[in-house]
Amino acid sequence: MTTPPMLQKSRQRLILAVLMVCSLLIWLENTVLSITLESLADPVGGLGADPGQLQWATGAYTLVFATLMFTAGALGDSFGHRNVLAVGLVIFAGTSIWAAYAGDAGQLIAARAAMGVGAALIMPANFAILLWTFTGPGRATAIAISSTSTGVGMAAGPVLAGLLLSHFWWGSVFLVNVPIVVVALAGVVLLVPNFRSPTVRPLDPAGILLSISGLAALTYGLIRAGQVDDWSRWDVWAPIAAGAVLLAVFVVVELRTRQPSFDPRMLAQRMFGGGNASMALLLFSVAAVTFYNAFYLQGALGYSPMTAGLANLPTAIGAVVGAPLGARLVSRWSLRPVAVPSITVAALSFGAVAFLGLHTPLVWIELVLLVQGLAVGMVLAPVTGALISSLPLEQSGAGSAVTNTARQTGSVIGIAVGGTIMSIAYRGAIEPSLSAVPEAYRDSARVSAEQARHVAATLDRPALAHAADRAFIHAMHIGAVWIMIIALVATAVLVIALSAAGKKKTPAPGPDRREADGSGPRSTARTEGTPVVESK
């Protein structure tokens, strides 16, 4: 067929439900690992992973996700978005099983990277199918309903992980993805037409290779610095320099490509470029502080996985409430008086982690997490809408790819830098307490607080465990200050970007602009052309 099918409303609703399950899968995976890190670091019940390996286990998924997502949409144009979505789900399920039964940290890192491939195929196809399924005012409603899966995933992920870890081994947090994939895959095959664009975009193998290798080299150098505590070593500065060069070459290649998957020219616009830089720095801070929180609740405070999962609920609740609240306030006032105070509060709430300690009442921890989620939600959602709406309608798809890639990249670097700061600060703080520890055990105790606690239990030296807790708290405080500074830089960048936007005369929102930001009805005509839908 060469015309869009007139789908019955009942089928549209079922397709929306299927797409929400697919999106839920991605967000569950983004959140469950934070509760699992402490278990993976356990030398007895886990894999004995050191902080660098845990950084890679977290960041490998996001790194591959970030660098493949902007070109995965082109596969949907060529082979059909339903087919790409189905392949992504199958890859995600297979690699989840691989991760669940990983025999060491290296296997887990590889499995997580492969999971990122599946996620990168799922996300763009999921959104494309949503846009082709719904037209007119129903499209904005469908997007709003679909976005609730983000909040559900953020809230359910930590609790689900805590529940599974309380009754099963750590691999269960990955294995639980399989039945969800089975349900989603059945719905995709039975309900979703195979939409594909009549205008096929070329693939970008050079861009994929350069972006993955550049970001991987940069991340490796940053993580390696935390492992060796020496920035002058060649195996630290050489990968960082190589990564920076490769990413610069990537930008040059994309600038010279006729139809780039990632268009750097968009970042030259002060509003769009500055806004994305600000949000990338904000996500940098969010990823780093989340990494710290996992070890703080379960390691230093000794909470069970279930208790830690429940303790993380305020962050999810704050984000779920903050997104619509921010949007409503922006519609009443404007973006700047809502976004700037919100991102400022977010930065200060990250810095407030420096006041948390071993004896901080849970209510104060919950309050900090709630403010973090609320503030980030209030700035992230409205700024995202404004950034996409600042572009011409025909550039909205490319702009969305740039925005998503920038944010995932910020998260990857945030995990790498945040973990490195923690490792260096911890090593310096624990060193004075190791003088009485046998030489054979000192290197293990230097690796992380988790390893030091295991050494303390082996040698029956509770004083060493207490010293490890204090050293971790010191490292977390140092990291929190740096995270706050980065978030305050994000605030300054956003102020500059919004100031540039304010100098431009804002036209009355016409039909095209309203449909770009989802605030008004949209014609069934599509700028990309009429979709091709393959008969089943």
Side-chain angles (χ1 to χ4, degrees), residues 433 452-470:
S433 303
R453 295 187 195 103
H454 178 66
V455 170
T458 302
L459 300 177
D460 191 22
R461 296 195 179 188
L464 178 60
H466 295 320
D469 290 339
R470 291 192 299 271

Side-chain angles (χ1 to χ4, degrees), residues 73-123:
L75 293 174
D77 293 340
S78 299
F79 302 106
H81 294 293
R82 182 192 66 187
N83 291 342
V84 171
L85 178 58
V87 171
L89 288 169
V90 171
I91 292 175
F92 202 89
T95 52
S96 293
I97 296 173
W98 181 14
Y101 293 101
D104 54 44
Q107 291 183 29
L108 177 62
I109 292 168
R112 287 278 296 168
M115 289 176 73
V117 175
L121 294 177
I122 291 170
M123 187 64 79

Side-chain angles (χ1 to χ4, degrees), residues 463-518:
L464 178 60
H466 295 320
D469 290 339
R470 291 192 299 271
F472 169 79
I473 293 297
H474 168 77
M476 184 179 74
H477 290 172
I478 297 295
V481 173
W482 281 106
I483 292 169
M484 179 184 67
I485 292 172
I486 295 297
L488 289 174
V489 172
T491 303
V493 172
L494 184 62
V495 169
I496 295 172
L498 295 181
S499 297
K503 294 176 182 178
K504 299 179 180 179
K505 183 178 179 181
T506 305
D512 287 345
R513 178 58 59 194
R514 289 199 306 272
E515 61 184 288
D517 62 15

Side-chain angles (χ1 to χ4, degrees), residues 18 21-22 25 85 89 179-189 192:
V18 170
V21 172
C22 296
L25 188 69
L85 178 58
L89 288 169
I180 300 176
V181 168
V182 171
V183 172
L185 192 59
V188 168
V189 172
V192 178

